[in-house]
Amino acid sequence: MPDTPCAPLLLGNQPGSFPHSVLAERHPAIIRQVREAFPYEPGQHRALDELLANCTEGAIEPLPADAHDRDLWETWGLGEYTGRSWFDVPWLWSESWFYRRLLQAVGYFGPGPWQGVDPFRPFKLAELDSAETDEELAALDDLADRPAPEQAQALLHGSLWGNRADLGFRLSAEGARAADAAPGLVADDSDRLWSLLDRADGATLYLVADNAGRELVPDLLLIAHLLHSGRIGRAVLHVKPYPYYVSDATTADVVDALRRLTGAGGAAAAYGRHLWSALGDGRLTLRAHPFSSAPLPYAEMPGDLRADFAAATLTIVKGDLNYRRLVGDRLWDPTTPFADVATCFPGPVAALRTLKSDVITGLDAQTEAALVAAENQRWRTSGTHALIQLRDAP
């Protein structure tokens, strides 16, 4: 981002800040919830207790010598940050490191009987099987009679606001309170998004998923509609290679969501069957690149991933974490143009995001002033506002 003024990198070492509350409050809450969700054995209990003490009061420690991904994490900065407080390294790095260490504590990477057992699965399934999901899927029957463009716009907004189902967000104090402010878009490039897809013949859409459950379902519905209507010819869905950020979607979560759709009846089941068929014939492809769980911004993505994204007509990145990785996890002036700070991405890119962290770009001055007047700075993290932003040229 050579032509963009620098902005402070977000750290977690300022008491009262949102990053500090995540490290000091949300992460301990996640450890307690994971511990209670499974009948873990004494060794796992000890490892979780040690992680709790380490992440709140200790220093970053190296991975075991035999860790399968030790070399990868060394290239991602572990050597540089070892021995430093979790609160004094970049917040994006510290958060990602927490989830890597949590999986290690519960035996996810094995070998052993708990290898591959997702510690967040009970929370994901509860979200997927909720009455709210039933209501949202039933509403698809009414949508089926609407014109295709109206369906597409409704499903785009469903994918956007589905991000409010983020389980990690709801575990924090901010997310647990009922929001008083009315939701609203603070930036909306949806017309430009549709125009970009419509200009391409047989467009290829990439979607970088964020959360499983009630967010992944509308992501899948959007893809299914665009494939079925012919607005795109192919879709690629990027998911995480292992459980991450409590509710981030993995391949297993995609399968669970598809089964939820196909078992729902009505229009939802038709969407599910179409997606199942699309996976089988290659119109829909899954990716789970290691960098998807890296503690780094997209500016540092490896060459093979850069080439993959460059092949897309449009890539949609979903959610707060992907937005932070796209523009850089910095405290930008909110009026900094989105296109100026998303230059790292190798092709046209759109961000669909509800606001749950301090990072924000691309607002006009009037919008920012109105938000601050109404809510001070809480609008940045409350999840009651959202954006659709597009940068259509690399």
Side-chain angles (χ1 to χ4, degrees), residues 58-62 78-85:
I60 292 166
E61 300 173 348
L78 180 57
E80 177 184 354
Y81 298 138
T82 295
R84 295 172 61 178
S85 166

Side-chain angles (χ1 to χ4, degrees), residues 107 130 134 164 200 223 228 339:
S130 67
D134 288 335
R164 296 172 71 189
I223 290 172
H228 184 67

Side-chain angles (χ1 to χ4, degrees), residues 60-61 63 73 86 93-101:
I60 292 166
E61 300 173 348
L63 286 171
W73 275 92
W86 292 58
W93 199 96
S94 190
E95 277 196 290
S96 295
W97 179 240
F98 170 78
Y99 289 100
R100 171 58 182 84
R101 287 291 312 277

Side-chain angles (χ1 to χ4, degrees), residues 255-276:
V255 175
D256 284 341
L258 289 178
R259 286 177 174 152
R260 181 73 166 90
L261 285 172
T262 56
Y271 277 118
R273 290 191 296 269
H274 186 77
L275 288 164
W276 200 282

